[in-house]
């Protein structure tokens, strides 16, 4: 094809790399060039060191990674399946008010996998490097974006310029592209900060994701492949800052009390890192030749661990829209094309943001609300259809079926 369109992707995080890999290995791989821009080099996964940043990937996310040919490598390197989930409030993790989800109840081998950020980015980056129509440009910090009639022009800090047909912004919650494209957002900060670390315990994590709702915010313990657990502990910011400065013994003692013995005595803790929490949603996902995806378009509370899965669903949707437009001979940067992606994802993302926000507010209510919350947990535990629906939603099974149909069409056209 003479002068094929160029898809620019801002941001070499998991969502940006997955979007680029879908386009560079999919049904229209020979119809467009893909260029990923990022200021920093990709991290390289190391088998002797577990990345502090991990994600709980759903079945839909796993299938996306299978489609671009990297899931086998990821699973073989270090991906930890979690087969059960236990949610509770109060002191007893094993009491009658706890809510249990088991993958066996819906005929699935697991509820998802815990995977490191560096492993995903290494696998996706290598897949992109092997694609003839794709390129990753490091040291490319975006300074300005100019939209013209048939192209978008990106000026880079320190000199340099790139031209594309469309610019997909996957450059995070502080997206420079979103700001330069003047796409407004709504949202609020939670006055909470999440502490992330890996902990060793005397007891087994039992391939279970544990979550306790505490007055200051939820605490999640996610099973790792090496037997440790990754914690994501949401706390009022002042309390989080105090615990970040505490010694290891003091921190482990307070964390042990918060886990209420779910995985036994805690024996060691890795370096602690923290990040402030916010809910944010772009009022528009697209303008002429520019579209937002992942955290550039929306951020949610981490209590359900679904932020990355929502971003990967964005990646699958925008790749499908661009491929369909290429096959139809359309201009892939035209706003009418990009709005198709916005219509597919904006409503679902906003609904999920609102649900997680409401859940966080519910469990932050004072003690008088405890009986109501306990009643709700017992009702879900007793209602098998409701539990099944919640598990299928968490797995992304409906989304997976939709994209499975898309991938089947792609295979039949190959």
């Amino acid at each position: 094809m003479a002068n094929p369109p160029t898809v620019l992707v801002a941001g070499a995080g998991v969502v940006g790399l997955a979007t680029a890999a879908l386009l560079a290995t999919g049904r229209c791989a020979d119809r467009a060039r893909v260029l990923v821009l990022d200021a920093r080099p990709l991290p390289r996964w190391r088998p002797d060191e577990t990345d502090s940043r991990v994600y709980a990937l759903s079945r839909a996310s796993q299938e996306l990674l299978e489609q671009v040919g990297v899931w086998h490598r990821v699973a073989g390197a270090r991906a930890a399946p979690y087969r059960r989930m236990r949610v509770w409030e109060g002191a007893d993790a094993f009491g009658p008010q706890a809510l249990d989800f088991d993958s066996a109840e819906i005929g699935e081998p697991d509820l998802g996998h815990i995977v490191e950020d560096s492993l995903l980015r290494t696998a996706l980056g290598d897949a992109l490097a092997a694609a003839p129509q794709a390129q990753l440009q490091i040291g490319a910090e975006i300074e300005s974006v100019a939209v013209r009639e048939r192209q978008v022009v990106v000026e880079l800090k320190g000199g340099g310029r790139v031209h594309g047909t469309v610019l997909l912004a996957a450059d995070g919650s502080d997206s420079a592209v979103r700001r330069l494209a003047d796409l407004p957002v709504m949202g609020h900060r939670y006055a909470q900060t999440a502490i992330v670390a890996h902990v060793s315990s005397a007891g087994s994590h039992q391939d279970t994701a544990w979550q306790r709702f505490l007055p200051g915010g939820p605490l999640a313990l996610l099973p790792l492949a090496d037997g440790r657990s990754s914690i994501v502990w949401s706390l009022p910011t002042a309390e989080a800052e105090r615990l970040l400065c505490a010694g290891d013994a003091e921190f482990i003692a307070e964390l042990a009390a918060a886990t209420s013995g779910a995985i036994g005595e805690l024996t060691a803790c890795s370096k602690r890192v923290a990040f402030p929490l916010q809910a944010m949603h772009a009022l528009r996902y697209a303008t002429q030749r520019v579209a937002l995806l992942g955290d550039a378009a929306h951020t949610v509370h981490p209590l359900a661990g679904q932020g990355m899965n929502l971003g990967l669903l964005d990646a699958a949707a925008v790749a499908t829209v661009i491929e369909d437009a290429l096959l139809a001979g359309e201009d892939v940067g035209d706003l009418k094309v990009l709005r198709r992606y916005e219509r597919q994802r904006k409503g679902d993302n906003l609904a999920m943001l609102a649900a997680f926000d409401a859940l966080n507010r519910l469990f932050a209510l004072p003690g008088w609300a405890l009986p109501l919350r306990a009643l709700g947990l017992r009702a879900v535990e007793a209602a098998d259809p409701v539990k099944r629906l919640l598990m299928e939603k968490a797995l992304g099974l409906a989304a997976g079926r939709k994209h499975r149909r898309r991938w089947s069409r792609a295979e039949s056209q190959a």
Side-chain angles (χ1 to χ4, degrees):
M1 176 186 292
N3 298 319
T6 298
V7 178
L8 302 177
V9 180
V14 175
V15 172
L17 291 172
T19 304
L22 283 167
L23 292 168
T25 64
R27 52 191 168 135
C28 295
D30 60 342
R31 293 173 179 257
R33 292 191 294 260
V34 181
L35 175 60
V36 181
L37 306 171
D38 203 293
R40 295 178 296 276
L42 293 185
R44 292 299 298 182
W45 177 77
R46 294 175 50 179
D48 61 339
E49 181 179 306
T50 304
D51 191 351
S52 63
R53 190 172 188 179
V54 300
Y55 308 113
L57 295 187
S58 68
R59 181 75 73 252
S61 294
Q62 175 183 329
E63 290 181 350
L64 181 154
L65 296 170
E66 287 172 348
Q67 175 62 21
V68 298
V70 303
W71 177 250
H72 180 75
R73 176 181 175 183
V74 168
R78 193 160 57 209
Y82 61 100
R83 310 182 197 286
R84 291 169 294 279
M85 182 180 296
R86 177 171 283 254
V87 180
W88 80 101
E89 183 182 25
D92 190 356
F94 304 95
Q97 294 179 0
L99 182 58
D100 277 305
F101 298 97
D102 193 319
S103 59
E105 295 179 28
I106 55 173
E108 292 287 334
D110 54 67
L111 293 172
H113 288 77
I114 309 302
V115 184
E116 297 155 69
D117 175 83
S118 60
L119 176 54
L120 289 170
R121 293 173 73 187
T122 295
L124 287 165
D126 289 349
L128 206 60
Q133 289 285 84
Q135 182 182 352
L136 172 61
Q137 185 173 335
I138 297 301
E141 186 174 356
I142 295 175
E143 185 169 67
S144 68
V145 174
V147 175
R148 299 178 181 170
E149 184 179 356
R150 300 292 297 180
Q151 65 178 349
V152 56
V153 181
V154 176
E155 300 280 352
L156 305 176
K157 289 185 178 179
R161 174 186 297 171
V162 292
H163 299 77
T165 312
V166 63
L167 174 60
L168 305 179
D171 52 344
S173 58
D174 294 324
S175 170
V177 174
R178 186 184 66 224
R179 173 176 51 81
L180 292 167
D182 197 26
L183 288 167
V185 300
M186 64 176 185
H188 60 269
R189 296 194 179 276
Y190 281 109
Q192 290 177 320
T193 294
I195 296 178
V196 175
H198 299 332
V199 295
S200 302
S201 58
S204 167
H205 55 51
Q206 303 173 48
D207 295 336
T208 298
W210 307 82
Q211 179 148 302
R212 182 184 183 187
F213 282 95
L214 294 158
L219 167 64
L221 301 100
L222 308 175
L224 297 175
D226 62 8
R228 293 184 296 167
S229 298
S230 176
I231 67 159
V232 183
W233 192 1
S234 301
L235 292 154
T237 295
E239 185 71 3
E241 290 173 350
R242 180 185 67 80
L243 287 174
L244 282 171
C245 296
D248 285 350
E250 180 183 352
F251 178 78
I252 289 175
E254 295 206 28
L255 177 62
T259 65
S260 63
I263 55 175
E265 180 185 358
L266 304 183
T267 57
C269 181
S270 71
K271 177 183 177 181
R272 287 159 262 161
V273 296
F275 57 93
L277 302 183
Q278 66 172 333
M280 182 275 293
H281 195 260
L283 299 182
R284 290 182 291 138
Y285 281 21
T287 187
Q288 186 73 6
R289 308 215 169 273
V290 179
L292 308 177
L293 52 156
D295 283 356
H298 48 80
T299 59
V300 298
H301 197 285
L303 63 87
Q306 291 299 306
M308 178 55 66
N309 295 315
L310 295 177
L312 289 174
L313 288 173
D314 291 350
V318 79
T320 300
V321 165
I322 288 176
E323 288 175 338
D324 288 345
L326 287 169
L327 291 172
E330 295 179 289
D331 178 356
V332 297
D334 196 329
L335 183 55
K336 70 179 181 182
V337 171
L338 299 178
R339 276 181 173 160
R340 296 171 196 158
Y341 153 70
E342 181 180 71
R343 286 194 294 271
Q344 285 188 38
R345 295 299 305 144
K346 186 177 178 183
D348 285 349
N349 287 334
L350 189 56
M352 295 293 275
L353 183 153
F356 300 151
D357 187 70
L359 191 59
N360 184 60
R361 292 176 186 274
L362 172 65
F363 280 90
L365 289 174
W368 61 263
L370 178 60
L372 295 178
R373 293 194 293 265
L375 180 63
L377 290 175
R378 286 198 299 270
V380 172
E381 179 64 32
D384 287 342
V386 176
K387 280 184 67 178
R388 184 181 186 90
L389 179 64
L390 289 173
M391 283 190 282
E392 289 186 349
K393 188 70 173 177
L395 270 166
L397 291 180
R401 284 190 287 269
K402 178 177 72 175
H403 293 296
R404 199 177 299 120
R405 289 194 295 270
R406 167 214 173 220
W407 295 329
S408 296
R409 290 198 308 272
E411 290 168 1
S412 68
Q413 292 167 359

